[in-house]
Amino acid sequence: MPGRDTGRRLGAADIGEALGARATLVQFSSAFCQPCRATRRVLAEVAAMVPGVAHVEIDAEDHLDLVRELRVLKTPTVLVLDAAGRVVRRAAGQPRKADVIAALGGAV
């Protein structure tokens, strides 16, 4: 998960669910996105493995204002938020589990 992002904080009001105690994996998906399904599985597995990490999936089509604000250009796009809701990493496309775990290192 290569990209870094700084500055913007997201909260429960933005993503529709509570943040994880240590980090949150935010996935932007769309209805007909095949890689989104695999990404959902990977992120859910990582969130289940790492205490205090939550996974939240957001339908990009239903949240266009947030998509535009965060410059989400394709689905899946994954944002890694730290405990305060700061975007510390982002990646577009289907991530590998090892990359997600490594990206969490910068957030927890």
Side-chain angles (χ1 to χ4, degrees), residues 31-103:
F32 299 105
C33 166
Q34 194 65 28
C36 292
R37 293 183 186 111
T39 298
R40 179 183 312 122
R41 282 191 300 276
V42 167
L43 298 183
E45 287 174 15
V46 171
M49 284 176 22
V50 183
V53 174
H55 170 227
V56 177
E57 188 171 5
I58 296 174
D59 185 321
E61 295 169 19
D62 289 343
H63 295 86
L64 290 176
D65 288 343
L66 190 58
V67 163
R68 288 184 189 108
E69 179 183 344
L70 297 171
R71 299 178 315 280
V72 173
L73 302 177
K74 65 184 254 185
T75 58
T77 290
V78 178
L79 307 179
V80 179
L81 310 181
D82 65 12
R86 280 187 299 268
V87 179
V88 295
R89 292 267 194 212
R90 72 182 291 143
Q94 183 180 332
R96 296 179 314 138
K97 186 187 282 190
D99 294 334
V100 175
I101 293 168

Side-chain angles (χ1 to χ4, degrees), residues 17-18 28-29 43 96 107-108:
E17 293 186 36
F28 285 89
S29 298
L43 298 183
R96 296 179 314 138
V108 295

Side-chain angles (χ1 to χ4, degrees), residues 3-22:
R4 285 192 171 271
D5 213 331
T6 56
R8 175 66 158 103
R9 287 183 187 216
L10 298 174
D14 297 304
I15 64 173
E17 293 186 36
L19 296 175
R22 296 176 64 202

